[in-house]
Amino acid sequence: AILTMLYVSNGFPGEAYEARMRKRAARAAAKKEKNYAAADAIRAELAERGVTLRDTSQGTTYTIENK
């Protein structure tokens, strides 16, 4: 609940936190299956919404642009 409020207050009115989490999970699954085109498409979609994904050796992190 706290995270949902944080994301909604950061410029994502009407977009559910859970929907973004599903997109991140779908991208992780695509990468695991070596479907890099699908993973890149999801990354681009999230980027259009102000979510930047960064792949590191410890996993994927993300930041949300304040609008």
Side-chain angles (χ1 to χ4, degrees):
I2 293 172
L3 290 177
T4 301
M5 290 189 304
L6 172 68
Y7 291 120
V8 169
S9 69
N10 276 333
F12 291 91
E15 183 178 3
Y17 167 77
E18 293 81 11
R20 287 189 306 281
M21 295 306 288
R22 283 192 299 273
K23 288 286 186 187
R24 288 182 57 218
R27 180 176 178 269
K31 282 180 60 179
K32 185 175 182 177
E33 296 169 359
K34 300 185 186 221
N35 186 347
Y36 299 115
D40 288 345
I42 293 168
R43 178 194 292 267
E45 181 181 343
L46 288 170
E48 288 177 8
R49 297 176 184 201
V51 179
T52 302
L53 300 176
R54 180 169 292 132
D55 294 319
T56 70
S57 60
Q58 290 81 30
T60 302
T61 62
Y62 65 98
T63 56
I64 299 175
E65 177 184 322
N66 286 327
K67 295 184 179 203

CSV table of all heavy atoms in Angstrom, one decimal:
chain,number,residue,atom,x,y,z
A,1,ALA,N,0.8,-1.2,0.0
A,1,ALA,CA,0.0,0.0,0.0
A,1,ALA,C,0.9,1.2,0.0
A,1,ALA,O,0.6,2.2,-0.7
A,1,ALA,CB,-0.9,0.0,1.2
A,2,ILE,N,1.9,1.2,0.8
A,2,ILE,CA,2.8,2.4,0.8
A,2,ILE,C,3.4,2.6,-0.5
A,2,ILE,O,3.5,3.8,-1.0
A,2,ILE,CB,3.9,2.2,1.9
A,2,ILE,CG1,3.2,2.2,3.3
A,2,ILE,CG2,4.9,3.3,1.8
A,2,ILE,CD1,4.2,1.8,4.4
A,3,LEU,N,3.9,1.6,-1.2
A,3,LEU,CA,4.5,1.7,-2.5
A,3,LEU,C,3.5,2.3,-3.5
A,3,LEU,O,3.9,3.1,-4.3
A,3,LEU,CB,5.1,0.4,-3.0
A,3,LEU,CG,6.4,0.0,-2.2
A,3,LEU,CD1,6.8,-1.4,-2.7
A,3,LEU,CD2,7.5,1.0,-2.3
A,4,THR,N,2.3,1.8,-3.5
A,4,THR,CA,1.3,2.3,-4.4
A,4,THR,C,1.1,3.8,-4.3
A,4,THR,O,1.1,4.5,-5.2
A,4,THR,CB,0.0,1.5,-4.2
A,4,THR,OG1,0.2,0.1,-4.4
A,4,THR,CG2,-1.1,2.0,-5.1
A,5,MET,N,1.0,4.2,-3.0
A,5,MET,CA,0.8,5.7,-2.8
A,5,MET,C,2.1,6.4,-3.3
A,5,MET,O,1.9,7.5,-3.9
A,5,MET,CB,0.6,6.0,-1.3
A,5,MET,CG,-0.7,5.5,-0.8
A,5,MET,SD,-1.1,6.0,0.8
A,5,MET,CE,0.2,5.4,1.8
A,6,LEU,N,3.3,5.9,-3.1
A,6,LEU,CA,4.5,6.6,-3.5
A,6,LEU,C,4.5,6.7,-5.1
A,6,LEU,O,4.7,7.8,-5.6
A,6,LEU,CB,5.7,5.8,-3.1
A,6,LEU,CG,7.0,6.2,-3.7
A,6,LEU,CD1,7.4,7.6,-3.1
A,6,LEU,CD2,8.1,5.2,-3.4
A,7,TYR,N,4.1,5.7,-5.8
A,7,TYR,CA,4.2,5.7,-7.2
A,7,TYR,C,3.1,6.6,-7.8
A,7,TYR,O,3.3,7.4,-8.7
A,7,TYR,CB,4.1,4.3,-7.8
A,7,TYR,CG,5.3,3.6,-7.6
A,7,TYR,CD1,5.3,2.4,-6.9
A,7,TYR,CD2,6.6,4.0,-8.0
A,7,TYR,CE1,6.5,1.7,-6.6
A,7,TYR,CE2,7.7,3.3,-7.8
A,7,TYR,CZ,7.7,2.2,-7.1
A,7,TYR,OH,8.8,1.5,-6.8
A,8,VAL,N,1.9,6.6,-7.2
A,8,VAL,CA,0.8,7.4,-7.7
A,8,VAL,C,1.2,8.9,-7.4
A,8,VAL,O,1.0,9.7,-8.3
A,8,VAL,CB,-0.5,7.1,-7.0
A,8,VAL,CG1,-1.6,8.1,-7.2
A,8,VAL,CG2,-1.0,5.7,-7.5
A,9,SER,N,1.8,9.2,-6.3
A,9,SER,CA,2.2,10.6,-6.0
A,9,SER,C,3.4,11.0,-6.9
A,9,SER,O,3.7,12.2,-7.0
A,9,SER,CB,2.6,10.8,-4.6
A,9,SER,OG,3.8,10.1,-4.2
A,10,ASN,N,4.1,10.1,-7.6
A,10,ASN,CA,5.2,10.5,-8.4
A,10,ASN,C,4.8,10.6,-9.9
A,10,ASN,O,5.6,10.4,-10.8
A,10,ASN,CB,6.3,9.4,-8.3
A,10,ASN,CG,7.2,9.7,-7.1
A,10,ASN,OD1,7.3,10.8,-6.7
A,10,ASN,ND2,7.8,8.7,-6.6
A,11,GLY,N,3.6,11.0,-10.2
A,11,GLY,CA,3.2,11.3,-11.5
A,11,GLY,C,2.6,10.2,-12.3
A,11,GLY,O,2.6,10.2,-13.5
A,12,PHE,N,2.1,9.2,-11.7
A,12,PHE,CA,1.4,8.1,-12.4
A,12,PHE,C,0.0,7.9,-12.0
A,12,PHE,O,-0.5,6.8,-11.7
A,12,PHE,CB,2.2,6.7,-12.1
A,12,PHE,CG,3.5,6.7,-12.7
A,12,PHE,CD1,4.6,7.2,-12.0
A,12,PHE,CD2,3.7,6.3,-14.0
A,12,PHE,CE1,5.9,7.2,-12.5
A,12,PHE,CE2,5.0,6.3,-14.6
A,12,PHE,CZ,6.1,6.7,-13.8
A,13,PRO,N,-0.8,9.0,-12.1
A,13,PRO,CA,-2.2,8.8,-11.7
A,13,PRO,C,-2.9,7.9,-12.6
A,13,PRO,O,-2.7,7.9,-13.8
A,13,PRO,CB,-2.8,10.2,-11.8
A,13,PRO,CG,-1.8,10.9,-12.7
A,13,PRO,CD,-0.5,10.3,-12.5
A,14,GLY,N,-3.7,7.0,-12.1
A,14,GLY,CA,-4.5,6.1,-12.9
A,14,GLY,C,-3.8,4.8,-13.3
A,14,GLY,O,-4.4,3.9,-13.8
A,15,GLU,N,-2.5,4.8,-13.1
A,15,GLU,CA,-1.7,3.6,-13.5
A,15,GLU,C,-1.3,2.8,-12.2
A,15,GLU,O,-0.7,3.3,-11.4
A,15,GLU,CB,-0.4,3.9,-14.3
A,15,GLU,CG,0.3,2.7,-14.7
A,15,GLU,CD,1.6,3.0,-15.5
A,15,GLU,OE1,1.9,4.2,-15.7
A,15,GLU,OE2,2.2,2.1,-16.0
A,16,ALA,N,-1.8,1.6,-12.2
A,16,ALA,CA,-1.6,0.8,-10.9
A,16,ALA,C,-0.2,0.3,-10.8
A,16,ALA,O,0.5,-0.1,-11.8
A,16,ALA,CB,-2.5,-0.4,-11.0
A,17,TYR,N,0.3,0.3,-9.6
A,17,TYR,CA,1.6,-0.2,-9.2
A,17,TYR,C,1.7,-1.7,-9.7
A,17,TYR,O,2.7,-2.1,-10.3
A,17,TYR,CB,1.8,-0.1,-7.7
A,17,TYR,CG,3.0,-0.9,-7.2
A,17,TYR,CD1,4.2,-0.4,-7.3
A,17,TYR,CD2,2.8,-2.1,-6.5
A,17,TYR,CE1,5.3,-1.1,-6.8
A,17,TYR,CE2,3.8,-2.8,-6.0
A,17,TYR,CZ,5.1,-2.3,-6.2
A,17,TYR,OH,6.2,-3.0,-5.7
A,18,GLU,N,0.7,-2.4,-9.5
A,18,GLU,CA,0.7,-3.8,-9.9
A,18,GLU,C,0.9,-4.0,-11.4
A,18,GLU,O,1.6,-5.0,-11.8
A,18,GLU,CB,-0.6,-4.6,-9.4
A,18,GLU,CG,-0.7,-4.7,-7.9
A,18,GLU,CD,-1.3,-3.4,-7.3
A,18,GLU,OE1,-1.7,-2.5,-8.0
A,18,GLU,OE2,-1.2,-3.3,-6.0
A,19,ALA,N,0.4,-3.2,-12.2
A,19,ALA,CA,0.6,-3.3,-13.6
A,19,ALA,C,2.0,-3.1,-14.0
A,19,ALA,O,2.5,-3.8,-14.9
A,19,ALA,CB,-0.3,-2.2,-14.4
A,20,ARG,N,2.7,-2.1,-13.4
A,20,ARG,CA,4.1,-1.9,-13.7
A,20,ARG,C,4.9,-3.1,-13.2
A,20,ARG,O,5.9,-3.5,-13.8
A,20,ARG,CB,4.6,-0.6,-13.0
A,20,ARG,CG,4.1,0.6,-13.7
A,20,ARG,CD,4.8,1.9,-13.2
A,20,ARG,NE,4.7,2.1,-11.8
A,20,ARG,CZ,3.6,2.5,-11.2
A,20,ARG,NH1,2.5,2.8,-11.9
A,20,ARG,NH2,3.6,2.7,-9.9
A,21,MET,N,4.5,-3.7,-12.1
A,21,MET,CA,5.3,-4.9,-11.6
A,21,MET,C,5.1,-6.0,-12.5
A,21,MET,O,6.0,-6.8,-12.8
A,21,MET,CB,4.8,-5.2,-10.2
A,21,MET,CG,5.1,-4.2,-9.1
A,21,MET,SD,6.9,-3.7,-9.1
A,21,MET,CE,7.6,-5.1,-8.4
A,22,ARG,N,3.9,-6.2,-13.1
A,22,ARG,CA,3.7,-7.3,-14.1
A,22,ARG,C,4.5,-7.1,-15.3
A,22,ARG,O,5.1,-8.0,-15.9
A,22,ARG,CB,2.2,-7.3,-14.5
A,22,ARG,CG,1.3,-8.0,-13.4
A,22,ARG,CD,-0.1,-8.4,-14.0
A,22,ARG,NE,-0.8,-7.2,-14.4
A,22,ARG,CZ,-1.6,-6.4,-13.6
A,22,ARG,NH1,-1.7,-6.7,-12.3
A,22,ARG,NH2,-2.2,-5.4,-14.1
A,23,LYS,N,4.7,-5.8,-15.7
A,23,LYS,CA,5.6,-5.5,-16.9
A,23,LYS,C,7.0,-5.9,-16.6
A,23,LYS,O,7.7,-6.4,-17.4
A,23,LYS,CB,5.5,-4.0,-17.3
A,23,LYS,CG,4.2,-3.6,-17.9
A,23,LYS,CD,4.2,-4.1,-19.3
A,23,LYS,CE,2.9,-3.6,-20.0
A,23,LYS,NZ,2.8,-4.2,-21.4
A,24,ARG,N,7.4,-5.5,-15.4
A,24,ARG,CA,8.8,-5.9,-15.0
A,24,ARG,C,9.0,-7.4,-15.0
A,24,ARG,O,10.0,-7.9,-15.4
A,24,ARG,CB,9.2,-5.3,-13.7
A,24,ARG,CG,9.3,-3.8,-13.7
A,24,ARG,CD,9.7,-3.1,-12.4
A,24,ARG,NE,11.0,-3.7,-11.9
A,24,ARG,CZ,11.2,-4.0,-10.6
A,24,ARG,NH1,10.3,-3.7,-9.7
A,24,ARG,NH2,12.3,-4.5,-10.3
A,25,ALA,N,8.0,-8.1,-14.5
A,25,ALA,CA,8.1,-9.6,-14.4
A,25,ALA,C,8.1,-10.2,-15.8
A,25,ALA,O,8.8,-11.1,-16.1
A,25,ALA,CB,6.9,-10.1,-13.6
A,26,ALA,N,7.3,-9.6,-16.7
A,26,ALA,CA,7.2,-10.1,-18.1
A,26,ALA,C,8.6,-9.8,-18.8
A,26,ALA,O,9.0,-10.7,-19.5
A,26,ALA,CB,6.1,-9.4,-18.9
A,27,ARG,N,9.2,-8.7,-18.5
A,27,ARG,CA,10.5,-8.4,-19.1
A,27,ARG,C,11.5,-9.4,-18.6
A,27,ARG,O,12.4,-9.9,-19.3
A,27,ARG,CB,10.9,-7.0,-18.8
A,27,ARG,CG,12.3,-6.7,-19.4
A,27,ARG,CD,12.7,-5.2,-19.2
A,27,ARG,NE,14.0,-5.0,-19.8
A,27,ARG,CZ,15.1,-5.2,-19.1
A,27,ARG,NH1,15.1,-5.5,-17.8
A,27,ARG,NH2,16.3,-4.9,-19.7
A,28,ALA,N,11.5,-9.7,-17.3
A,28,ALA,CA,12.5,-10.7,-16.7
A,28,ALA,C,12.3,-12.0,-17.3
A,28,ALA,O,13.2,-12.7,-17.7
A,28,ALA,CB,12.3,-10.7,-15.2
A,29,ALA,N,11.0,-12.5,-17.6
A,29,ALA,CA,10.7,-13.7,-18.2
A,29,ALA,C,11.3,-13.8,-19.6
A,29,ALA,O,11.8,-14.7,-20.1
A,29,ALA,CB,9.3,-14.1,-18.1
A,30,ALA,N,11.0,-12.7,-20.3
A,30,ALA,CA,11.5,-12.6,-21.7
A,30,ALA,C,13.0,-12.7,-21.8
A,30,ALA,O,13.6,-13.4,-22.6
A,30,ALA,CB,11.0,-11.3,-22.4
A,31,LYS,N,13.7,-12.0,-20.9
A,31,LYS,CA,15.2,-12.1,-20.8
A,31,LYS,C,15.6,-13.5,-20.5
A,31,LYS,O,16.6,-14.0,-21.1
A,31,LYS,CB,15.7,-11.1,-19.8
A,31,LYS,CG,15.7,-9.7,-20.2
A,31,LYS,CD,16.3,-8.7,-19.2
A,31,LYS,CE,17.7,-9.1,-18.9
A,31,LYS,NZ,18.3,-8.3,-17.8
A,32,LYS,N,15.0,-14.1,-19.6
A,32,LYS,CA,15.3,-15.5,-19.2
A,32,LYS,C,15.2,-16.5,-20.4
A,32,LYS,O,16.0,-17.4,-20.6
A,32,LYS,CB,14.5,-16.0,-18.1
A,32,LYS,CG,14.9,-17.3,-17.5
A,32,LYS,CD,14.0,-17.7,-16.3
A,32,LYS,CE,14.5,-19.1,-15.8
A,32,LYS,NZ,13.8,-19.4,-14.6
A,33,GLU,N,14.2,-16.2,-21.2
A,33,GLU,CA,13.9,-17.0,-22.4
A,33,GLU,C,14.8,-16.5,-23.6
A,33,GLU,O,14.6,-17.0,-24.7
A,33,GLU,CB,12.4,-16.9,-22.8
A,33,GLU,CG,11.5,-17.6,-21.8
A,33,GLU,CD,10.1,-17.2,-22.0
A,33,GLU,OE1,9.7,-16.5,-23.0
A,33,GLU,OE2,9.3,-17.7,-21.2
A,34,LYS,N,15.6,-15.5,-23.4
A,34,LYS,CA,16.5,-14.9,-24.4
A,34,LYS,C,15.7,-14.3,-25.6
A,34,LYS,O,16.1,-14.3,-26.7
A,34,LYS,CB,17.5,-16.0,-24.9
A,34,LYS,CG,18.4,-16.4,-23.8
A,34,LYS,CD,19.5,-17.3,-24.3
A,34,LYS,CE,20.2,-17.9,-23.1
A,34,LYS,NZ,21.6,-17.9,-23.2
A,35,ASN,N,14.5,-13.8,-25.2
A,35,ASN,CA,13.7,-13.1,-26.2
A,35,ASN,C,14.0,-11.6,-25.9
A,35,ASN,O,13.2,-10.9,-25.4
A,35,ASN,CB,12.2,-13.4,-25.9
A,35,ASN,CG,11.3,-12.8,-27.0
A,35,ASN,OD1,11.7,-11.9,-27.7
A,35,ASN,ND2,10.1,-13.2,-27.0
A,36,TYR,N,15.1,-11.2,-26.4
A,36,TYR,CA,15.6,-9.8,-26.2
A,36,TYR,C,14.8,-8.8,-26.9
A,36,TYR,O,14.6,-7.7,-26.4
A,36,TYR,CB,17.1,-9.7,-26.5
A,36,TYR,CG,17.9,-10.7,-25.7
A,36,TYR,CD1,18.6,-11.7,-26.2
A,36,TYR,CD2,17.9,-10.6,-24.3
A,36,TYR,CE1,19.3,-12.6,-25.5
A,36,TYR,CE2,18.6,-11.4,-23.5
A,36,TYR,CZ,19.3,-12.5,-24.1
A,36,TYR,OH,20.0,-13.4,-23.3
A,37,ALA,N,14.1,-9.1,-28.0
A,37,ALA,CA,13.3,-8.1,-28.7
A,37,ALA,C,12.1,-7.8,-27.8
A,37,ALA,O,11.7,-6.6,-27.7
A,37,ALA,CB,12.8,-8.7,-30.0
A,38,ALA,N,11.5,-8.8,-27.2
A,38,ALA,CA,10.3,-8.6,-26.3
A,38,ALA,C,10.8,-7.8,-25.1
A,38,ALA,O,10.1,-6.8,-24.6
A,38,ALA,CB,9.7,-9.9,-25.9
A,39,ALA,N,11.9,-8.2,-24.5
A,39,ALA,CA,12.4,-7.5,-23.3
A,39,ALA,C,12.7,-6.0,-23.6
A,39,ALA,O,12.4,-5.1,-22.8
A,39,ALA,CB,13.7,-8.1,-22.8
A,40,ASP,N,13.3,-5.7,-24.8
A,40,ASP,CA,13.6,-4.3,-25.2
A,40,ASP,C,12.3,-3.6,-25.4
A,40,ASP,O,12.2,-2.4,-25.1
A,40,ASP,CB,14.4,-4.3,-26.4
A,40,ASP,CG,15.9,-4.7,-26.2
A,40,ASP,OD1,16.3,-4.8,-25.0
A,40,ASP,OD2,16.6,-5.0,-27.2
A,41,ALA,N,11.3,-4.2,-26.0
A,41,ALA,CA,10.0,-3.5,-26.2
A,41,ALA,C,9.3,-3.1,-24.9
A,41,ALA,O,8.8,-2.0,-24.7
A,41,ALA,CB,9.0,-4.4,-27.0
A,42,ILE,N,9.4,-4.0,-23.9
A,42,ILE,CA,8.8,-3.7,-22.6
A,42,ILE,C,9.6,-2.6,-21.9
A,42,ILE,O,9.1,-1.7,-21.3
A,42,ILE,CB,8.8,-5.0,-21.7
A,42,ILE,CG1,7.8,-6.0,-22.2
A,42,ILE,CG2,8.5,-4.6,-20.2
A,42,ILE,CD1,7.9,-7.4,-21.6
A,43,ARG,N,11.0,-2.6,-22.0
A,43,ARG,CA,11.8,-1.5,-21.5
A,43,ARG,C,11.4,-0.2,-22.1
A,43,ARG,O,11.2,0.8,-21.4
A,43,ARG,CB,13.3,-1.8,-21.8
A,43,ARG,CG,14.2,-0.7,-21.3
A,43,ARG,CD,15.6,-0.8,-21.8
A,43,ARG,NE,16.3,-1.9,-21.4
A,43,ARG,CZ,17.1,-1.9,-20.3
A,43,ARG,NH1,17.3,-0.8,-19.6
A,43,ARG,NH2,17.8,-3.0,-20.0
A,44,ALA,N,11.2,-0.2,-23.4
A,44,ALA,CA,10.8,1.0,-24.1
A,44,ALA,C,9.5,1.5,-23.7
A,44,ALA,O,9.3,2.7,-23.5
A,44,ALA,CB,10.8,0.8,-25.6
A,45,GLU,N,8.5,0.6,-23.5
A,45,GLU,CA,7.2,1.0,-23.0
A,45,GLU,C,7.3,1.6,-21.7
A,45,GLU,O,6.6,2.7,-21.4
A,45,GLU,CB,6.3,-0.2,-23.0
A,45,GLU,CG,4.9,0.1,-22.6
A,45,GLU,CD,4.0,-1.1,-22.5
A,45,GLU,OE1,4.3,-2.2,-23.1
A,45,GLU,OE2,2.9,-1.0,-21.8
A,46,LEU,N,8.0,1.0,-20.8
A,46,LEU,CA,8.2,1.6,-19.4
A,46,LEU,C,8.9,2.9,-19.5
A,46,LEU,O,8.5,3.9,-18.7
A,46,LEU,CB,8.9,0.6,-18.5
A,46,LEU,CG,8.1,-0.6,-18.1
A,46,LEU,CD1,8.9,-1.6,-17.4
A,46,LEU,CD2,6.9,-0.2,-17.2
A,47,ALA,N,9.9,3.1,-20.3
A,47,ALA,CA,10.6,4.3,-20.5
A,47,ALA,C,9.7,5.5,-20.9
A,47,ALA,O,9.8,6.6,-20.4
A,47,ALA,CB,11.8,4.2,-21.4
A,48,GLU,N,8.7,5.2,-21.8
A,48,GLU,CA,7.8,6.2,-22.2
A,48,GLU,C,6.9,6.7,-21.1
A,48,GLU,O,6.4,7.8,-21.1
A,48,GLU,CB,6.8,5.6,-23.3
A,48,GLU,CG,7.5,5.4,-24.6
A,48,GLU,CD,6.6,4.8,-25.6
A,48,GLU,OE1,5.4,4.6,-25.3
A,48,GLU,OE2,7.1,4.4,-26.7
A,49,ARG,N,6.8,5.8,-20.0
A,49,ARG,CA,6.0,6.2,-18.8
A,49,ARG,C,6.9,6.7,-17.7
A,49,ARG,O,6.4,6.9,-16.6
A,49,ARG,CB,5.2,5.0,-18.4
A,49,ARG,CG,4.2,4.5,-19.4
A,49,ARG,CD,3.5,3.3,-19.0
A,49,ARG,NE,2.7,2.8,-20.0
A,49,ARG,CZ,1.7,2.0,-19.8
A,49,ARG,NH1,1.4,1.5,-18.7
A,49,ARG,NH2,0.9,1.6,-20.9
A,50,GLY,N,8.2,7.0,-18.0
A,50,GLY,CA,9.0,7.6,-17.0
A,50,GLY,C,9.7,6.6,-16.1
A,50,GLY,O,10.3,7.0,-15.1
A,51,VAL,N,9.7,5.3,-16.4
A,51,VAL,CA,10.4,4.3,-15.6
A,51,VAL,C,11.6,3.8,-16.4
A,51,VAL,O,11.6,3.3,-17.5
A,51,VAL,CB,9.4,3.0,-15.4
A,51,VAL,CG1,10.2,2.0,-14.6
A,51,VAL,CG2,8.1,3.5,-14.7
A,52,THR,N,12.8,4.0,-15.7
A,52,THR,CA,14.0,3.7,-16.3
A,52,THR,C,14.5,2.4,-15.7
A,52,THR,O,14.7,2.3,-14.4
A,52,THR,CB,15.1,4.8,-16.1
A,52,THR,OG1,14.6,6.0,-16.7
A,52,THR,CG2,16.4,4.4,-16.7
A,53,LEU,N,14.8,1.4,-16.5
A,53,LEU,CA,15.3,0.1,-15.9
A,53,LEU,C,16.8,0.1,-16.2
A,53,LEU,O,17.3,0.5,-17.2
A,53,LEU,CB,14.7,-1.1,-16.7
A,53,LEU,CG,13.1,-1.2,-16.6
A,53,LEU,CD1,12.7,-2.4,-17.4
A,53,LEU,CD2,12.7,-1.4,-15.1
A,54,ARG,N,17.5,-0.4,-15.2
A,54,ARG,CA,19.0,-0.6,-15.3
A,54,ARG,C,19.4,-2.0,-14.9
A,54,ARG,O,19.1,-2.4,-13.7
A,54,ARG,CB,19.6,0.5,-14.4
A,54,ARG,CG,21.2,0.4,-14.4
A,54,ARG,CD,21.8,1.6,-13.7
A,54,ARG,NE,21.5,2.8,-14.6
A,54,ARG,CZ,21.1,3.9,-14.1
A,54,ARG,NH1,20.9,4.0,-12.8
A,54,ARG,NH2,20.9,4.9,-14.8
A,55,ASP,N,19.9,-2.7,-15.8
A,55,ASP,CA,20.4,-4.1,-15.5
A,55,ASP,C,21.8,-4.0,-14.9
A,55,ASP,O,22.7,-3.4,-15.4
A,55,ASP,CB,20.4,-4.9,-16.8
A,55,ASP,CG,19.0,-5.1,-17.4
A,55,ASP,OD1,18.1,-5.3,-16.6
A,55,ASP,OD2,18.9,-5.0,-18.6
A,56,THR,N,21.9,-4.7,-13.8
A,56,THR,CA,23.2,-4.8,-13.1
A,56,THR,C,23.5,-6.2,-12.8
A,56,THR,O,22.7,-7.1,-13.0
A,56,THR,CB,23.2,-4.0,-11.7
A,56,THR,OG1,22.4,-4.7,-10.8
A,56,THR,CG2,22.7,-2.6,-11.9
A,57,SER,N,24.7,-6.5,-12.3
A,57,SER,CA,25.1,-7.9,-12.0
A,57,SER,C,24.3,-8.4,-10.8
A,57,SER,O,24.2,-9.6,-10.7
A,57,SER,CB,26.6,-8.0,-11.7
A,57,SER,OG,26.9,-7.1,-10.6
A,58,GLN,N,23.7,-7.5,-10.0
A,58,GLN,CA,22.9,-7.9,-8.9
A,58,GLN,C,21.4,-8.1,-9.3
A,58,GLN,O,20.6,-8.4,-8.4
A,58,GLN,CB,23.0,-7.0,-7.7
A,58,GLN,CG,24.3,-7.0,-7.0
A,58,GLN,CD,25.4,-6.2,-7.7
A,58,GLN,OE1,25.1,-5.3,-8.4
A,58,GLN,NE2,26.7,-6.7,-7.7
A,59,GLY,N,21.0,-7.7,-10.5
A,59,GLY,CA,19.7,-7.7,-10.9
A,59,GLY,C,19.3,-6.4,-11.6
A,59,GLY,O,20.1,-5.6,-11.8
A,60,THR,N,18.0,-6.3,-11.8
A,60,THR,CA,17.5,-5.1,-12.5
A,60,THR,C,17.0,-4.1,-11.4
A,60,THR,O,16.2,-4.5,-10.5
A,60,THR,CB,16.4,-5.4,-13.5
A,60,THR,OG1,16.9,-6.3,-14.4
A,60,THR,CG2,15.8,-4.2,-14.2
A,61,THR,N,17.4,-2.9,-11.5
A,61,THR,CA,16.9,-1.8,-10.7
A,61,THR,C,16.1,-0.8,-11.5
A,61,THR,O,16.2,-0.9,-12.8
A,61,THR,CB,18.0,-1.0,-10.0
A,61,THR,OG1,18.8,-0.4,-10.9
A,61,THR,CG2,18.8,-2.0,-9.1
A,62,TYR,N,15.3,0.0,-10.9
A,62,TYR,CA,14.5,1.0,-11.7
A,62,TYR,C,14.4,2.3,-11.0
A,62,TYR,O,14.5,2.3,-9.7
A,62,TYR,CB,13.2,0.4,-12.1
A,62,TYR,CG,12.2,0.2,-10.9
A,62,TYR,CD1,11.3,1.2,-10.6
A,62,TYR,CD2,12.3,-0.9,-10.1
A,62,TYR,CE1,10.4,1.0,-9.5
A,62,TYR,CE2,11.5,-1.1,-9.1
A,62,TYR,CZ,10.5,-0.2,-8.7
A,62,TYR,OH,9.7,-0.4,-7.7
A,63,THR,N,14.3,3.3,-11.7
A,63,THR,CA,14.0,4.7,-11.2
A,63,THR,C,12.7,5.2,-11.9
A,63,THR,O,12.5,4.8,-13.0
A,63,THR,CB,15.2,5.6,-11.4
A,63,THR,OG1,15.5,5.7,-12.7
A,63,THR,CG2,16.4,5.2,-10.6
A,64,ILE,N,12.1,6.1,-11.2
A,64,ILE,CA,10.9,6.7,-11.7
A,64,ILE,C,11.1,8.2,-11.8
A,64,ILE,O,11.5,8.8,-10.8
A,64,ILE,CB,9.6,6.4,-10.9
A,64,ILE,CG1,9.4,4.9,-10.8
A,64,ILE,CG2,8.4,7.1,-11.4
A,64,ILE,CD1,8.3,4.5,-9.9
A,65,GLU,N,10.9,8.7,-13.0
A,65,GLU,CA,11.1,10.2,-13.2
A,65,GLU,C,10.0,10.9,-12.6
A,65,GLU,O,8.8,10.6,-12.7
A,65,GLU,CB,11.1,10.4,-14.7
A,65,GLU,CG,11.2,11.8,-15.1
A,65,GLU,CD,11.0,12.0,-16.6
A,65,GLU,OE1,11.5,11.2,-17.4
A,65,GLU,OE2,10.4,13.0,-17.0
A,66,ASN,N,10.4,12.0,-11.8
A,66,ASN,CA,9.4,12.9,-11.2
A,66,ASN,C,9.0,13.8,-12.3
A,66,ASN,O,9.8,14.4,-13.0
A,66,ASN,CB,10.0,13.6,-10.0
A,66,ASN,CG,10.1,12.8,-8.8
A,66,ASN,OD1,9.3,11.9,-8.6
A,66,ASN,ND2,11.1,13.0,-8.0
A,67,LYS,N,7.7,14.0,-12.5
A,67,LYS,CA,7.1,14.9,-13.5
A,67,LYS,C,6.6,16.1,-12.9
A,67,LYS,O,6.2,16.2,-11.8
A,67,LYS,CB,6.1,14.2,-14.3
A,67,LYS,CG,6.6,13.0,-15.1
A,67,LYS,CD,5.6,12.4,-15.9
A,67,LYS,CE,6.2,11.3,-16.7
A,67,LYS,NZ,5.6,10.9,-17.9
